[in-house]
């Protein structure tokens, strides 16, 4: 029997939280190894966050070029070179990989490219990508295995070889007619981008609104924005079966509130949720328990059921954002040093990079009602923010939820630069300040953030 190589720490998966933890432990003098199947640095710099935002920006440029005459600039016919769009994205990814490799070298953490599987508690067999195997063990193990796009169990869908976000970001062509299954963040971002690249686009959503986790008024506004862009939206729709091959010709049979209908297109993009990468890696042999949906069960310190084993990021059920995974790293780092840091009650903001983007922090109206929290709601259309008039982008609105103690308990913005504006509100919430402090602040004119003043001036008075 092969004796394992002994490390102080093993990290399975090189996503955001895992890589930062590995670099930190290695710099602290611990012998640390990271086992990664394919994506150096995890999915964010390779196939998810940054590559998608790269191509979304290319789509924004195409849209601006087509409408340049609105701004006094005359252009000829606008065409999109998807091979160049892809190349720009690839060059960015290559640069990020080089940066990550430099961080591994500087920290002293060993990056092992291969597929790891537990054969015993805290013991991994690694099938190396370049051939051979290694057996590794450590006193501390950190699981950062992430998730992958789920393919719904629809007759004919898997056989049609649909795209996920990975394949969609590698296209060197604009599909003739892209059918998107899912009206959530990934589906909406890529649907809008490919519409701007020149594709006809249909979005099919099982629920009654786009962006299902948001309030109905947000879903309604998104529906209007996407409809105005010429994107067909089919809501409350069940996909019954799929025929054909994605990339050539496909036909989807749907059940909708108005009856059955068929939609024909050239390509399918599946954006219908994520599945944790926890199957087939021997977690049962490691003593790590899973929940009903396959996510690793952890406590608020991110400890698993196995002593000396932690889980980080999406696979642990943390919010599926890179910034949440990074905070998971900080939780574990501080607890390893004797702290008492917890994931409980974290204020995690997020942003969907549609155009305009949608950002939120804290509660929605629906969530406040479900939790029995009485709130006062203030809204402001984006056309009420003077900056939008200078750039000609006035769709969307801001919304703030104010609790009984005058503190902000939730904020949403669907408008230009929403991801930046939400940070100011988040800081106000973290500081526990009453909304009047932000309302009465002197904010730079003309900026998007300036709209927070008039928004919070609209807070209704307390009921008697």
């Amino acid at each position: 029997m092969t004796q394992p190589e002994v490390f102080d720490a093993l990290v399975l998966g090189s996503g955001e939280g895992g890589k930062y933890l590995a670099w930190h432990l290695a710099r602290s003098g611990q012998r640390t190894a990271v086992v990664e199947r394919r994506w150096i640095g995890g999915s964010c710099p390779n196939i998810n966050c940054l590559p998608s935002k790269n191509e979304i920006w290319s789509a924004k440029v195409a849209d601006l070029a087509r409408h340049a005459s609105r701004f006094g600039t005359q252009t000829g016919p606008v065409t999109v070179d998807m091979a160049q769009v892809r190349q720009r994205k690839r060059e960015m990814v290559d640069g990020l990989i080089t940066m990550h490799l430099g961080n591994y070298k500087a920290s002293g953490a060993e990056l092992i490219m291969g597929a790891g599987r537990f054969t015993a508690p805290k013991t991994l067999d690694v099938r190396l990508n370049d051939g051979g195997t290694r057996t590794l063990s450590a006193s501390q193990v950190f699981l950062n295995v992430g998730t992958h796009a789920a393919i719904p169990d629809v007759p004919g869908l898997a056989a049609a070889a649909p795209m996920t976000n990975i394949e969609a970001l590698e296209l060197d062509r604009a599909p003739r007619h892209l059918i998107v299954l899912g009206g959530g963040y990934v589906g909406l971002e890529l649907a809008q981008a490919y519409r701007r690249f020149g594709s006809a686009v249909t979005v099919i959503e099982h629920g009654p609104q786009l962006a299902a986790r948001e309030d109905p008024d947000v879903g309604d506004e998104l529906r209007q924005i996407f409809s105005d862009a010429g994107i067909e939206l089919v809501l409350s729709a069940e996909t019954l079966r799929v025929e054909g091959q994605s990339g050539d010709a496909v036909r989807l049979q749907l059940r909708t509130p108005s009856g059955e209908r068929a939609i024909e297109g050239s390509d399918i993009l599946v954006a219908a949720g994520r599945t944790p990468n926890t199957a087939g890696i021997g977690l049962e042999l490691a003593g790590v328990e899973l929940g009903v949906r396959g996510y690793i069960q952890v406590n608020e310190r991110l400890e698993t059921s196995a002593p000396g084993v932690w889980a980080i990021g999406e696979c642990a059920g943390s919010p599926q954002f890179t910034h949440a995974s990074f905070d998971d790293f900080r939780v574990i780092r501080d607890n390893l040093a004797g702290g008492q840091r917890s994931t409980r009650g974290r204020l995690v903001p997020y942003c969907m990079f549609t155009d305009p983007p949608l950002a939120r922090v804290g509660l929605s109206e629906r969530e406040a009602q479900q939790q029995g929290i009485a709130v006062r709601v203030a809204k402001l259309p984006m056309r009420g923010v003077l900056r939008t008039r200078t750039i000609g982008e006035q769709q969307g609105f801001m919304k703030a939820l104010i609790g009984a103690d005058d503190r902000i308990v939730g904020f949403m913005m669907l408008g230009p630069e929403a991801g930046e504006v939400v940070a100011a509100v988040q800081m106000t919430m973290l500081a526990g300040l009453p909304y009047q402090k932000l309302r009465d602040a002197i904010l730079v004119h003309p900026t998007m953030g300036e709209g927070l003043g008039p928004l919070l001036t609209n807070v209704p008075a307390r009921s008697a």
Side-chain angles (χ1 to χ4, degrees):
M1 184 176 179
T2 303
Q3 289 297 312
E5 303 173 57
V6 179
F7 290 80
D8 297 312
L10 284 178
V11 183
L12 183 58
S14 73
E16 184 76 0
K19 68 193 179 193
Y20 274 97
L21 185 60
W23 298 338
H24 166 74
L25 295 175
R27 290 190 181 104
S28 301
Q30 297 191 41
R31 188 185 182 204
T32 304
V34 176
V35 177
E36 170 58 45
R37 290 185 302 178
R38 182 176 181 183
W39 309 116
I40 297 173
S43 63
C44 176
N46 287 276
I47 56 172
N48 279 340
C49 320
L50 295 174
S52 64
K53 306 318 173 272
N54 181 290
E55 294 204 3
I56 286 168
W57 189 257
S58 291
K60 170 77 169 179
V61 171
D63 186 65
L64 285 172
R66 288 193 184 96
H67 297 95
S69 61
R70 292 173 49 205
F71 303 94
T73 298
Q74 301 303 318
T75 63
V78 175
T79 60
V80 176
D81 182 347
M82 286 302 299
Q84 182 57 36
V85 169
R86 183 179 67 178
Q87 183 59 27
R88 174 177 174 268
K89 183 263 301 185
R90 285 180 172 180
E91 289 173 359
M92 182 199 71
V93 171
D94 288 344
L96 292 169
I97 291 173
T98 298
M99 181 188 74
H100 280 83
L101 292 174
N103 287 339
Y104 276 103
K105 183 177 181 180
S107 71
E110 181 180 1
L111 176 62
I112 300 171
M113 299 302 296
R117 189 180 190 281
F118 287 96
T119 56
K122 300 181 183 178
T123 303
L124 276 175
D125 272 2
V126 182
R127 188 174 69 254
L128 303 174
N129 290 354
D130 57 1
T133 60
R134 290 174 66 177
T135 301
L136 318 173
S137 70
S139 56
Q140 298 180 130
V141 175
F142 306 92
L143 306 173
N144 187 209
V145 296
T147 63
H148 63 273
I151 305 297
D153 187 18
V154 174
L157 178 58
M163 295 185 292
T164 67
N165 60 293
I166 297 175
E167 294 79 22
L169 293 171
E170 273 294 293
L171 287 178
D172 62 358
R173 59 182 176 85
R176 176 179 55 80
H177 184 171
L178 177 64
I179 299 173
V180 180
L181 293 182
Y185 288 9
V186 173
L188 293 179
E189 286 182 352
L190 293 179
Q192 186 182 56
Y194 271 97
R195 177 63 183 149
R196 290 176 164 185
F197 287 143
S199 299
V201 177
T202 299
V203 175
I204 299 171
E205 165 58 35
H206 187 268
Q209 73 169 60
L210 300 178
R213 68 186 294 178
E214 306 303 329
D215 286 327
D217 56 354
V218 179
D220 290 343
E221 188 76 5
L222 283 169
R223 184 174 186 172
Q224 187 64 56
I225 290 168
F226 274 63
S227 296
D228 289 347
I231 296 172
E232 181 185 16
L233 304 171
V234 186
L235 305 180
S236 300
E238 179 186 0
T239 305
L240 301 176
R241 62 182 177 274
V242 178
E243 300 169 354
Q245 282 291 116
S246 182
D248 179 20
V250 290
R251 186 175 190 271
L252 282 69
Q253 192 69 27
L254 308 178
R255 180 182 292 123
T256 73
S258 58
E260 288 195 15
R261 62 171 293 193
I263 294 179
E264 296 182 349
S266 60
D267 298 75
I268 302 175
L269 167 63
V270 176
R274 310 284 297 178
T275 299
N277 296 322
T278 53
I281 60 173
L283 290 179
E284 67 282 0
L285 299 176
V288 174
E289 296 180 2
L290 303 179
V292 292
R293 297 177 55 204
Y295 291 91
I296 297 170
Q297 291 187 344
V298 295
N299 61 19
E300 63 188 38
R301 293 166 55 87
L302 297 173
E303 297 167 315
T304 74
S305 56
V309 180
W310 291 258
I312 306 169
E314 297 180 14
C315 70
S318 292
Q320 294 182 354
F321 307 112
T322 296
H323 47 284
S325 181
F326 181 78
D327 191 61
D328 282 359
F329 146 66
R330 296 187 294 197
V331 169
I332 293 175
R333 176 200 63 192
D334 292 357
N335 288 332
L336 290 175
Q340 294 296 321
R341 194 158 179 166
S342 168
T343 60
R344 180 177 296 177
R346 292 190 293 187
L347 191 62
V348 181
Y350 54 86
C351 183
M352 177 174 69
F353 287 82
T354 48
D355 188 14
L358 165 66
R360 179 153 72 87
V361 63
L363 299 177
S364 67
E365 285 189 77
R366 179 186 294 155
E367 290 167 342
Q369 184 178 26
Q370 290 171 345
Q371 296 178 30
I373 299 174
V375 295
R376 289 170 286 160
V377 179
K379 294 178 72 171
L380 181 75
M382 290 309 302
R383 64 179 179 273
V385 182
L386 295 181
R387 175 63 177 165
T388 66
R389 300 185 181 231
T390 69
I391 65 174
E393 298 182 17
Q394 299 184 48
Q395 292 177 299
F397 63 95
M398 294 180 177
K399 179 166 64 172
L401 278 63
I402 309 301
D405 59 358
D406 280 348
R407 296 183 184 184
I408 302 170
V409 298
F411 171 79
M412 186 287 310
M413 176 175 170
L414 177 60
E417 301 177 31
E420 307 297 333
V421 176
V422 74
V425 182
Q426 181 188 11
M427 295 305 106
T428 304
M429 295 170 70
L430 288 171
L433 297 174
Y435 79 90
Q436 293 93 338
K437 289 290 185 181
L438 186 55
R439 179 196 66 189
D440 298 337
I442 302 174
L443 301 171
V444 175
H445 171 78
T447 62
M448 294 301 171
E450 184 184 26
L452 294 171
L455 168 71
L456 296 173
T457 299
N458 291 339
V459 174
R462 288 193 187 91
S463 57

